[in-house]
Structures are given as structure tokens and as C-alpha cells.
């Protein structure tokens, strides 16, 4: 079932409607990552710059070294720790467009989904970004304490967070919050596994720019699969 959700999602990415959303999402994601790297660089220089120059190195060498070192550190930190929350949060701004495109092709006749205000989308994406960033920062201690378990912890934690968020984004376009929560509880294992699949794919550089859109599309299929199963009960 999960494989089928992703297969249908990947197949639709190349179609004009989703391709347009993908281009906009990738551009916004790249801008967000560049700004995050620049912000981290400035923060590192502001907090550690003076300390790093106290090595008796000539000023111009020290300045060049500090700039290059902190730029590299900021880029590495951004890609290692912020790429997943940034890419996952940005796609929330396009969730209604993605779900709409999937529904028009695969689930015609449903009528128009609920409308989400731009403010609500931005607030939700920002909240999710902060949540995932904080969770991964806290989990860093576990990664360092038990390195062999780091991949398991990463997938389990991010799979839960991404699964819950992506499913909710898709479900609340069609059903009430109470129905969204009740369906999620009865399908929590499937949602967690599908979220873990998204988290795994998000850990792959370059591909992680495309995966968030695929994830929303896949969860749209998952929600409708759950909805049909619920109707049969």
C-alpha cells in the first residue's frame, strides 16, 4: 500500500500541474536554506569570532580563516540539521495545491476542498519547522551517545513527526479536526511507517528537494485509502 502511494506520487510529479508547484517549492526551499546558512554564519561569527582570533595569527589571515571556517560550518550545519525541517516545513505552504492536483486526477467528483488562509499555512509551517528543529537538536545527544542507533532514532522520531504533519495537512482539507484525529489514531502505524519512508528519502541530498512534494501527494493517497476503509466499517 505504502509503495503504491509513493509510486503514484512519483508518477504524477512530472505532470505540468505538479511540476509547476515543484519548481516553486524548490526555489523557495533553496532561498530558505541559503538564508538559514547565512544566519548561522553571522551568528557563529558574532558569538565566536573574537575568540577565534586570539591565536597570535596576523589579522588579515585570521579574518580570512574565520570567514571561510564559519561559512563552511554554517553550510554543513544547515545541510545536516536544518535541511529536513526546512524542506518539510516549506512544502506545507503548497499542501492544498498538491492535494488538489492529486484529487482531481485520482479522486474526481469530491467537490472543492476546504480553503486554508495563507496566514494559517505560514503559521503552521513555522510551527512545524520549530518543532522538528527542536526535536532533532534534542535527539543529537542520543545520536552521539549511541551512534549505532542514530539511524533508527532519526527515522522513528522524524517518521512520527512528518507522518502526523503530512497526514493532518491532507486530511483537514476534507474532514473535521475530530475526524482527522480519529482516523489518524486508527491508522497510526501506517502513518508512522509512511512518514518514516519520507524521512529516509529526505536524508538523501538533492532528492530531498523533491521528496516533500512526493510525500504530500503520497499522504493524500493514504488519507483517501483510510477514508474509504472507514466508510466500509
Amino acid at each position: 500500500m505504502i509503495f503504491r502511494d509513493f509510486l503514484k506520487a512519483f508518477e504524477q510529479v512530472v505532470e505540468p500541474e505538479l511540476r509547476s508547484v515543484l519548481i516553486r517549492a524548490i526555489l523557495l526551499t533553496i532561498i530558505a536554506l541559503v538564508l538559514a546558512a547565512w544566519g548561522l554564519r553571522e551568528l557563529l561569527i558574532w558569538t565566536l569570532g573574537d575568540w577565534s582570533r586570539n591565536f597570535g595569527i596576523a589579522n588579515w589571515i585570521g579574518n580570512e580563516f574565520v570567514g571561510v571556517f564559519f561559512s563552511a560550518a554554517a553550510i554543513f550545519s544547515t545541510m545536516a540539521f536544518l535541511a529536513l525541517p526546512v524542506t518539510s516545513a516549506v512544502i506545507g505552504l503548497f499542501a492544498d495545491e498538491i492535494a488538489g492536483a492529486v484529487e482531481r486526477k485520482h479522486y474526481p467528483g469530491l467537490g472543492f476542498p476546504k480553503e486554508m488562509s495563507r496566514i494559517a499555512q505560514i503559521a503552521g509551517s513555522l510551527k512545524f519547522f520549530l518543532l522538528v528543529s527542536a526535536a532533532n537538536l534534542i535527539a543529537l545527544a542520543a545520536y552521539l551517545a549511541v551512534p549505532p542507533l542514530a539511524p533508527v532514532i532519526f527515522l522513528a522520531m522524524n517518521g512520527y513527526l512528518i507522518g502526523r504533519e503530512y497526514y493532518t495537512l491532507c486530511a483537514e482539507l476534507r474532514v473535521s479536526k475530530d475526524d482527522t484525529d480519529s482516523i489518524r489514531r486508527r491508522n497510526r502505524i501506517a502513518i508512522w511507517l509512511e512518514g518514516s519512508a519520507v524521512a529516509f528519502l529526505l536524508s538523501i541530498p538533492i532528492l530531498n528537494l523533491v521528496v516533500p512534494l512526493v510525500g504530500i501527494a503520497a499522504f493524500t493517497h493514504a488519507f483517501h485509502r483510510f477514508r474509504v476503509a472507514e466508510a466500509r466499517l
Side-chain angles (χ1 to χ4, degrees):
M1 293 292 187
I2 293 175
F3 177 78
R4 193 179 305 158
D5 292 342
F6 279 94
L7 182 60
K8 289 190 288 187
F10 271 111
E11 287 175 347
Q12 195 173 352
V13 166
V14 298
E15 296 179 2
E17 192 171 11
L18 279 189
R19 191 167 63 234
S20 170
V21 179
L22 178 63
I23 292 171
R24 284 181 283 137
I26 288 177
L27 289 175
L28 185 56
T29 298
I30 291 173
I31 291 171
L33 289 172
V34 169
L35 289 175
W38 176 81
L40 279 175
R41 176 184 180 277
E42 294 301 308
L43 179 63
L44 288 171
I45 291 176
W46 179 66
T47 56
L48 301 175
D50 291 338
W51 171 83
S52 68
R53 295 188 181 93
N54 294 327
F55 295 104
I57 305 173
N59 282 340
W60 70 271
I61 296 177
N63 289 337
E64 289 298 318
F65 173 77
V66 167
V68 172
F69 174 78
F70 285 134
S71 294
I75 292 171
F76 173 80
S77 299
T78 299
M79 297 312 298
F81 301 106
L82 292 181
L84 187 147
V86 167
T87 54
S88 297
V90 165
I91 206 62
L93 300 175
F94 303 94
D96 55 345
E97 292 185 62
I98 299 166
V102 171
E103 289 178 344
R104 281 189 290 276
K105 178 176 180 178
H106 295 278
Y107 311 96
L110 289 176
F112 294 105
K114 299 176 186 175
E115 291 188 8
M116 294 182 64
S117 70
R118 183 57 65 182
I119 293 177
Q121 289 177 319
I122 294 173
S125 292
L126 180 59
K127 179 182 176 181
F128 185 61
F129 168 76
L130 294 174
L131 175 63
V132 176
S133 298
N136 279 278
L137 188 61
I138 293 171
L140 182 60
Y143 299 158
L144 297 175
V146 282
L149 293 180
V152 177
I153 297 170
F154 173 86
L155 290 177
M157 180 187 68
N158 287 292
Y160 172 79
L161 294 174
I162 290 171
R164 184 186 180 101
E165 178 70 7
Y166 281 22
Y167 161 78
T168 300
L169 285 171
C170 298
E172 289 192 344
L173 292 171
R174 287 291 171 187
V175 298
S176 67
K177 186 180 184 304
D178 288 342
D179 287 339
T180 294
D181 292 341
S182 64
I183 295 173
R184 176 178 52 79
R185 283 193 295 269
R186 285 189 286 272
N187 297 277
R188 58 185 177 275
I189 300 301
I191 291 171
W192 173 63
L193 290 174
E194 197 142 342
S196 297
V198 174
F200 171 74
L201 294 173
L202 282 171
S203 67
I204 303 173
I206 307 301
L207 184 61
N208 59 5
L209 295 174
V210 179
V211 167
L213 184 149
V214 172
I216 294 291
F219 268 97
T220 302
H221 290 296
F223 162 69
H224 285 290
R225 180 158 46 82
F226 300 150
R227 179 180 61 83
V228 170
E230 293 274 323
R232 290 174 179 169
L233 295 178

